Amino acid sequence: MIRFEPRSNPGPLLVYGVPVLAATIAILLAAIPLALAGAPIIQAYGLMISGAFGSVFSTSEMLTRATPLILTGLAAAIAFRAKLWNIGAEGQLYMGAMAAVAVGSGVIDGPNWVMIPVVIIAGMAAGALMLIGPTLLKTRLGVDEVVTTLLLNFIVLLFVQMMLEGALKDPMSMGWPQSEPIIDSAAFPALLERMRVHIGLIIALVSAVALAIFVKRTVWGFEIRAVGENAAAARFSGISVTKTMILVAALSGGLAGLAGVSEVAGTRGYLATDLSPGYGYAGIVVAMLARLSPIGVIASALFVASVFVGADSMSRAIGVSSYLADLIVAMALLCVLIGGFLTRFRVHFDRKSAQG
């Protein structure tokens, strides 16, 4: 008979070592499909590492890929801390990108120090509004936010597609469904010459540090943690659960919208329906790997981005499918979930009860 006993104090080594061990096990398990595909395993891993860190260009590409992952990971982490299951970061990302394009493609003009904050505020506001609605439905009517946020992703993508075929369509796009480009004064400056990495990375890192301080050192952060631990007890102690959930929705949706702003104003320069390869969904994996820690999100986003970029490089070199990266990330998430369970519970095998 198997019996589970809660751990009173798992200890920092167990808490922080589980994600590292999970990532390591996932990479080792990836050797199995590599071997089945007939690829040289040592060479494949070497190509993955060099593809992500082998040159200044490859490292800059990895950091470019990590930027939206950090922001969507933070969006998922702050929401999940309050038990607000935001699955709609993908739609919030697109709404943020669309708002940034709407105000940053020439409707208004000004210097960099005006236009960049304008597109950021517009994108974050649009992303926040996308999550506040489902949150109000959850708190007022008990509607499951998993369903509403997930369905909104599809609605937003269709809406963006409609706008790119209509009001936001670039007349110079030769028929392609894409928006007019962001004007130069609203574009994020590059951090390195002739590289794609931009100041969105700095904004994402500052956001992670600010969110960590907010959660740990402020009264609002304490209330978010209290609501996440036990909403009924938090309400009994005088905390407004609805107000706290709206605050969480504004933060989470705003960060996901900022990820969209980062992509259109920093990386792509315009909005198209293929702007995101699933950064909103990958942010959930990033947050879970980080165990909902804002600082841990940075490390887990770098890990996921390096796997994706390295797998692309390996795929081009030896012809193995780049979907291996998705497999590694999925296995890492599975290992973290199992590790998280074993962190919270001891497993006992009761032989006597089983024999009796």
Side-chain angles (χ1 to χ4, degrees), residues 72-123:
T72 55
L74 292 174
I78 187 64
F80 290 0
R81 271 183 176 271
K83 298 290 193 295
L84 176 64
W85 307 114
N86 175 21
I87 314 298
E90 186 77 0
Q92 294 144 24
L93 181 151
Y94 271 98
M95 284 301 289
M98 192 168 68
V101 165
V103 301
S105 57
V107 176
I108 56 175
D109 199 357
N112 283 27
W113 59 271
V114 171
M115 289 305 299
I116 290 177
V118 164
V119 296
I120 288 176
I121 292 170

Side-chain angles (χ1 to χ4, degrees), residues 86-163:
N86 175 21
I87 314 298
E90 186 77 0
Q92 294 144 24
L93 181 151
Y94 271 98
M95 284 301 289
M98 192 168 68
V101 165
V103 301
S105 57
V107 176
I108 56 175
D109 199 357
N112 283 27
W113 59 271
V114 171
M115 289 305 299
I116 290 177
V118 164
V119 296
I120 288 176
I121 292 170
M124 293 186 71
L129 288 174
M130 285 298 299
L131 186 54
I132 287 176
T135 304
L136 285 173
L137 289 174
K138 171 188 172 70
T139 55
R140 298 294 185 187
L141 303 174
V143 178
D144 190 340
E145 76 276 20
V146 173
V147 176
T148 53
T149 54
L150 182 61
L151 292 179
L152 276 175
N153 286 339
F154 301 101
I155 295 172
V156 168
L157 283 174
L158 291 172
F159 181 63
V160 168
Q161 189 172 1
M162 183 188 75
M163 295 298 287

Side-chain angles (χ1 to χ4, degrees), residues 172-197:
M172 304 298 291
S173 64
M174 306 296 288
W176 291 100
Q178 67 182 50
S179 73
E180 292 187 42
I182 292 279
I183 59 177
D184 291 342
S185 58
F188 286 2
L191 291 177
L192 295 173
E193 191 176 354
R194 291 185 295 180
M195 304 287 176
R196 294 201 307 165
V197 62

